[in-house]
Amino acid sequence: MKKIVALTGVFALAACGGNDASEPTEAVIDDTPETAVVSDAGTYSSLNEDGDVIAISLNADGTYTVSEANQQVENGTWEDTPEGACWTAEGEEEPVCATFAPGTEPGTVNVTSPGGETMTYSYES
C-alpha cells in the first residue's frame, strides 16, 4: 500500500533548498512489504551433505515430491505465499515455507529454510 505523506514547507525547504515554505510538498512512500521471489513449477536439485542428489519437484497442479538418492521421501501440496513457497507434507497440518532468490550461477536458485539455512539448487522447468 502506498501512503501519501504531506511534508511541511520547512522540511521541503531544508531538503530542496529554495521551495516556497508556504507550499507543502508531497512525497510518496512505498511501505509495501517486499515480496518473496516466487518459485516456479519444475524440478530443483542439489546435493545433500552425503553427496546424494536431493530433488524437489513442484508440479503445476499444486502437488510436490521430494526425492533423495532416487528414493521418494515426501509428497504433498505447495503454493506461493507472501512468506515464500510453502509445502504441506501429506499427513501434516502446518506448512513449511522457504524463500527463493536468484542464485549466482545461471539456472540456479538459493532456497532458504525457516531455520535460515540456504542451499543452492539447479532448476529444470
Side-chain angles (χ1 to χ4, degrees):
M1 169 187 291
K2 292 187 179 187
K3 294 181 182 177
I4 305 283
V5 179
L7 300 175
T8 65
V10 175
F11 292 123
L13 181 62
C16 299
N19 283 351
D20 183 357
S22 63
E23 294 289 324
T25 304
E26 290 184 353
V28 177
I29 299 173
D30 185 358
D31 66 351
T32 304
E34 285 191 36
T35 304
V37 174
V38 295
S39 55
D40 291 318
T43 299
Y44 299 82
S45 58
S46 188
L47 297 177
N48 67 14
E49 57 275 350
D50 296 328
D52 294 324
V53 173
I54 184 168
I56 304 169
S57 294
L58 302 179
N59 304 311
D61 67 358
T63 61
Y64 77 93
T65 59
V66 177
S67 299
E68 196 164 347
N70 293 319
Q71 298 289 327
Q72 183 175 324
V73 295
E74 185 177 304
N75 66 314
T77 59
W78 73 280
E79 66 179 327
D80 280 318
T81 71
E83 290 79 32
C86 295
W87 297 272
T88 304
E90 189 173 281
E92 297 292 324
E93 293 182 22
E94 294 295 318
V96 173
C97 300
T99 58
F100 283 58
T104 56
E105 298 293 322
T108 64
V109 295
N110 292 326
V111 179
T112 303
S113 71
E117 181 180 310
T118 300
M119 287 183 67
T120 300
Y121 286 81
S122 59
Y123 171 72
E124 302 168 27
S125 57

